[in-house]
Amino acid sequence: MKYFEKMLEICLPLLRVPNDYATMNKMDRDEIDRSRDEVGLTIIDCCMVLGTQRCAFSLYRVFSQCCEKFMKMPLQNWVDMEASMYAFVKIQREILHSTNNGVKEPYVDQIMGGSDTSKPFSGVFTASISIHGFLVSKAPTNKIVSPLRNTCLDIMGTFSSWLSVHPELLEHVYINSVKSLGMAETRHFAARVFQDVSHACGAHLARSTKLFQNLLKVHLDAVRAPLPKRELLLITEALASVVKRLSNDSAKEALRQLLAPCTVTLKTPNSIENVILILETMKSVFSSLGRVGRDVDRSMGEMVYRTVENIWADMTRLSNEHCMNGKFSEKLCGMYKYLIRFLGHEYFKNFAQSYCKQMADLFQKSRQSSFLYASGIAVESLSNVTQARGMLSQMLFHFTNTVLALCSNENNVRNNPDIVEDFFDFCGRYVKYCPDLLLGPSNLERCATKIFDFCVFSLNVEHREANRSAIFFLQDVLKLGTKKSSRNHESKHVAIEGMRKLLNAFAPKLVQMMFTVTAGSLSLGRVDDEDASITRLAYVCVCVFEYLSVDNSLTLNFFCVCVARTDSRCANSFQENNFET
């Protein structure tokens, strides 16, 4: 370990920030951050080779020496103090997750410190509380030492899973975090502490009336102040993650308080920016709550459903007014995504007809791809609802005709890559959740054939996202021909019959397009793209064509060449996926 300790003597100066770091321009700060991050990665590598516990104790000795200097002359020795604590932030994952016991490893307590606040420098975590408190009281507006305040906050947040087994320190963490919300240089780190701690210690916060009321007050103050949007959303997410752990009545009341400002603002918004903030707030709430019946009681789902009923007319009006605004469309659909997943099909099916019609109309009017993506979320939710199948079939028909009319040639595909990508994502959800709707008799000719033809055409368009989304869709379709069991065997059987007809009809065209692409119409990097490659697609075709009895007399030689290009890892990955051969 002596070599590691010598390396630490070299690393510590490299981790130091300049005294004027807080007043430097963003470009210079980013360069310093990148350099520090690289040094941190070196320490992580040492932990992996030499063992985390040994490295952590060596680093702890350096930290202790820095503490002694800091206690003597804090405002003169804060840079080394910050550097030693920053190193612990970087190896947090190794300390907490390198063993099965994680935070319960005895050595972790030795390094982090106990719950005895009379010994403030007994460990890294307790020292972070004490140092932050000292800086707030002695230098509350001193921007120069803000990097140390932020690193102290970082320790509190990143080691929040350790805090979950030492809940007696929670109040100290909250007090310190609140005090840093008021300073521009520290408020983002403080807001992140609320987010991290609420996720890790939500059960403790829900059981403590005092701490939960404090969190409610922090959120209310953040709304009234107001805090900048980014920090406000972090605190909103923190509060919502605790709300779901409350008893039913308390949870419903807290959720009502969270959503009440949203419903009021949507009725009489001051500006489009105000509306976008509300949409992001609702997204943060629903994404943190999880799902009705699994994470929260059904009574909360009922309450949210009633709220949606009350604001639906306002949402419709605002959507029609602002659907041409790309940012509004993105935030609206992001909110709907988590709302639908939170409610589940049991509640969503009650307004699904209006929702799907609204998404179709908004896409027709605005050509914003977000509405395509949001429609795919509806497919995911309603795939097992028998009464919704007719509507999903009609929605597939509508979007197929609309998108194909819009993307009728290569230039249009290149100019609308987001629409192409989200369209294939939309179609891919039919493949994953209700393949018989896409490939069954009712939609095979009027939809699936057109989509497959467009997909083959898109393989040769010089645009990475367009190529990639087409390849992903083809792979999803071909994966139906695997040995893996399906959630709905009958649905899969119907889909495979449709897929066989499609491939028999399109195999020559597909192979010809692959010939064209591989021969040089696209760059080699695109053909062998690590994310989605033509050669990997060819490998899947070889495996599936024979199983489906597709006429491959025209394709065998070409596919053999393509498969030869794939490395052994590619072949192994497809064997693991159990493709039929």
Side-chain angles (χ1 to χ4, degrees), residues 30 34 38 41 49 53 56 73 87 117 126 161 170 184 198 203 207 240 261 314 428 440 450 472 480:
D30 288 346
R34 281 192 291 270
E38 289 174 3
L41 291 174
V49 173
Q53 183 172 336
M73 301 181 70
T117 54
T126 50
S161 56
L170 270 169
S198 295
R207 287 195 295 268
D314 299 311
K450 296 176 183 176
F472 284 154
L480 292 171

Side-chain angles (χ1 to χ4, degrees), residues 491-531:
S491 172
K492 181 180 176 182
H493 177 72
V494 171
I496 287 177
E497 287 303 308
M499 183 171 67
R500 179 183 286 114
K501 293 177 182 178
L502 268 183
L503 292 178
N504 271 312
F506 279 94
K509 190 170 185 177
L510 176 60
V511 173
Q512 182 182 6
M513 184 60 74
M514 286 185 171
F515 264 122
T516 303
V517 169
T518 309
S521 70
L522 293 182
S523 66
L524 184 60
R526 188 69 53 76
V527 173
D528 288 329
D529 193 305
E530 289 183 4
D531 195 17

Side-chain angles (χ1 to χ4, degrees), residues 162-182:
W162 178 83
L163 183 62
S164 68
V165 296
H166 293 276
E168 60 276 7
L169 294 173
L170 270 169
E171 188 170 355
H172 299 284
V173 170
Y174 262 54
I175 291 170
N176 277 275
S177 300
V178 169
K179 290 177 178 176
S180 271
L181 281 175

Side-chain angles (χ1 to χ4, degrees), residues 115-154:
S115 56
D116 185 358
T117 54
S118 66
K119 299 178 181 178
F121 288 90
S122 60
V124 177
F125 197 97
T126 50
S128 72
I129 294 173
S130 299
I131 293 170
H132 185 275
F134 169 82
L135 293 174
V136 168
S137 62
K138 300 298 182 183
T141 59
N142 188 336
K143 295 182 181 180
I144 299 298
V145 297
S146 61
L148 178 55
R149 282 178 65 169
N150 288 336
T151 301
C152 288
L153 291 166
D154 235 354

Side-chain angles (χ1 to χ4, degrees), residues 383-396:
S383 59
N384 291 323
V385 179
T386 304
Q387 304 94 309
R389 290 177 67 83
M391 179 185 68
L392 294 181
S393 179
Q394 187 58 33
M395 187 166 67
L396 175 67

